[in-house]
Amino acid sequence: MGTTRETIGIIGAGQLARMLIEAATPLDLDIRLLAASPDDGAARIWPRTSIGSPDDPAAVTAFAADCDVITFDHELVPESVLIALEASGKRIAPSTNTLRVAQNKQRQRELFAQHRLPQPRHRIVRTVHGAEQAAEAIEYPVIVKAAYGGYDGRGVWRCTDEATLVEVVSGLAERSIPIVVEAEVRIERELAVMVARDHVGRTTVLPTVETVQIDGICRQITYRADCHVPEAVRIAEIVANVVDLTGVMAVELFESDGQLLINEIATRPHNSGHYSIEALASSQFEHHLRSVLGIAPGSIEPRAPFAVSVNVLGPDDGSDPRDRIGLLASGDVHIHMYGKGARSGRKLGHVTVLGDDLDLCIERAWAATELLTNEPRPEGM
């Protein structure tokens, strides 16, 4: 364990796998992919790709046979498949126990409560009646979350009254999906911090960044080299230890009334860490690969005082931002497109701008995004 010549197998071949490959190439790391489709973003650029569903135990087992360690582009691999892999002696990073927490918001809330970590007031319920009681105790408006199966705002609802609540939770209860009912907190800022940890516990916490969400989708990430949030670092380190992390993890936080509250975690590279490709000496993707292999941690030395990343979403008119890349002549805008077909509202890529002036970085990043999408900057951004 801990040699760079080990083969890393990545289950999933979306944009995170694509950027992991980009980080692995300068280090000459051996990467294999398991893609659900040859049209997946990473599969399109990487020859050492097998095609198979992460839901198919036979496909995953056959793929893993040629890999020394398995890691993930997403958290959608069924728990039964993960258990079978570990039982066969295969190293997976993060582990099954870690992924069990990442895949399920109920388990996150329960684990954080057990370790007295700060989070919104909440109750876990399984019935409509239980949700009604929880909302009454917490007081409307409440946030309702499906325990599993949601991402980018899906599986999360704001309920202002009992009628809306019943409409939302009825379908979840019928499908026996546990329901998290939690207080709506007054959000002053949304923060995120990436933390990297290897199998022996060596931990590196990347800088805390501020994120801006619109309709449940992250649109902007702001990095300040001089931003130090000790409480965010403390929380990230504790969570990394209690979930026994191997790899990188995002800890998403609300700042409310001067207190940090954990929103949720993701035990993989994350949208909130994309700025690090240009802004830090070692990106979140390099940190993940180093942690998975157990080799020396990367550096978080800043390359600029400020960085701003803006996500590029598919335009409403159905056009493809890739067709407009040639319009961007300035070298200070770093473009990352993910190899996805254009669809309205779909996350197709991101741009990052570094500089000495934060306002100018924000202006340049959004100007580039507007040029790529032919759509105006959202109000309030």
Side-chain angles (χ1 to χ4, degrees):
M1 184 178 291
T3 69
T4 58
R5 297 316 307 163
E6 292 180 311
T7 296
I8 302 173
I10 303 173
I11 295 180
Q15 66 257 30
L16 299 181
R18 189 171 171 125
M19 287 181 273
L20 281 167
I21 288 168
E22 292 167 359
T25 301
L27 301 177
D28 196 25
L29 301 180
D30 188 18
I31 302 291
R32 293 177 183 265
L33 295 181
L34 179 65
S37 164
D39 294 327
D40 288 350
R44 293 175 55 189
I45 66 167
W46 197 244
R48 304 188 72 185
T49 298
S50 301
I51 305 302
S53 170
D55 296 332
D56 181 354
V60 173
T61 300
F63 169 72
D66 294 324
C67 304
D68 295 295
V69 59
I70 300 294
T71 191
F72 308 91
D73 172 84
H74 53 66
E75 295 108 339
L76 304 180
V77 183
E79 188 175 325
S80 58
V81 175
L82 299 173
I83 291 172
L85 279 176
E86 284 192 325
S88 70
K90 189 62 61 177
R91 285 162 45 211
I92 67 174
S95 69
T96 297
N97 286 337
T98 304
L99 286 168
R100 287 182 77 250
V101 177
Q103 291 172 340
N104 192 301
K105 293 181 176 66
Q106 173 189 358
R107 292 170 183 160
Q108 290 182 34
R109 288 286 178 243
E110 291 173 343
L111 183 65
F112 300 156
Q114 179 184 342
H115 290 273
R116 301 183 181 278
L117 290 165
Q119 56 186 328
R121 291 185 298 118
H122 65 276
R123 289 190 181 182
I124 311 296
V125 301
R126 291 181 176 271
T127 66
V128 173
H129 180 61
E132 290 173 321
Q133 289 183 313
E136 184 177 345
I138 293 171
E139 297 183 352
Y140 289 100
V142 294
I143 305 300
V144 173
K145 299 179 179 179
Y148 51 82
Y151 65 97
D152 275 352
R154 298 173 180 87
V156 179
W157 301 267
R158 181 178 186 267
C159 298
T160 58
D161 53 51
E162 185 174 314
T164 308
L165 179 82
V166 170
E167 181 181 356
V168 166
V169 302
S170 293
L172 298 175
E174 288 172 3
R175 289 179 287 157
S176 299
I177 297 176
I179 302 157
V180 182
V181 180
E182 62 185 44
E184 181 182 60
V185 300
R186 186 172 66 85
I187 300 173
E188 296 161 7
R189 290 191 300 170
E190 293 192 57
L191 303 175
V193 57
M194 301 298 305
V195 55
R197 182 179 182 273
D198 67 14
H199 66 283
V200 296
R202 287 185 296 185
T203 302
T204 303
V205 181
L206 278 64
T208 304
V209 297
E210 184 173 352
T211 65
V212 179
Q213 327 289 321
I214 299 178
D215 297 329
I217 299 177
C218 181
R219 293 307 313 273
Q220 177 180 298
I221 301 101
T222 303
Y223 158 79
R224 299 171 173 85
D226 62 355
C227 178
H228 301 290
V229 186
E231 179 65 4
V233 173
R234 185 188 76 85
I235 290 171
E237 289 176 333
I238 293 174
V239 174
N241 285 327
V242 300
V243 303
D244 195 20
L245 176 70
T246 299
V248 300
M249 173 181 66
V251 181
E252 297 182 84
L253 302 158
F254 298 138
E255 185 175 62
S256 179
D257 297 326
Q259 181 184 15
L260 293 184
L261 305 172
I262 302 173
N263 177 23
E264 60 185 38
I265 64 171
T267 53
R268 53 169 170 75
H270 190 261
N271 194 169
S272 61
H274 289 351
Y275 76 94
S276 64
I277 298 173
E278 283 81 27
L280 303 181
S282 300
S283 73
Q284 65 163 335
F285 300 98
E286 182 176 337
H287 281 283
H288 183 71
L289 295 168
R290 287 176 174 274
S291 296
V292 164
L293 289 174
I295 61 178
S299 168
I300 58 171
E301 187 71 22
R303 288 176 168 160
F306 303 104
V308 174
S309 292
V310 172
N311 283 319
V312 177
L313 305 187
D316 290 339
D317 64 8
S319 62
D320 193 331
R322 290 175 294 189
D323 296 335
R324 301 190 183 95
I325 287 177
L327 300 175
L328 280 174
S330 177
D332 68 343
V333 177
H334 303 274
I335 309 171
H336 297 265
M337 301 305 293
Y338 301 154
K340 294 179 175 180
R343 187 175 68 236
S344 177
R346 189 182 197 189
K347 201 179 292 178
L348 302 179
H350 72 272
V351 301
T352 299
V353 175
L354 309 185
D356 299 325
D357 184 307
L358 177 59
D359 290 337
L360 185 58
C361 288
I362 293 172
E363 181 181 327
R364 294 287 296 125
W366 276 107
T369 304
E370 290 174 26
L371 191 61
L372 289 171
T373 63
N374 201 30
E375 291 186 342
R377 178 174 172 177
E379 290 186 15
M381 296 297 299

